Amino acid sequence: MTSAVRHTTIDSADAYRLAGFWSQVLGLPIHEDEGPGTRTY
């Protein structure tokens, strides 16, 4: 029997800073509606 990881969750005290890191790693921009202190939920 095989398993597949479909989702990964990463907790962060500074999500915007983490998004900036991944933005640079992946070469993708942070969405224009996102910023420090914004909440989308």
Side-chain angles (χ1 to χ4, degrees):
M1 177 187 274
T2 61
S3 301
V5 176
R6 294 181 181 247
H7 302 280
T8 301
T9 301
I10 300 171
D11 189 16
S12 173
D14 188 349
Y16 188 71
R17 185 172 172 200
L18 184 61
F21 167 79
W22 283 110
S23 173
Q24 289 182 348
V25 169
L26 299 173
L28 299 171
I30 296 173
H31 193 275
E32 61 189 30
D33 291 343
E34 297 299 325
T38 60
R39 294 182 183 225
T40 58
Y41 55 91

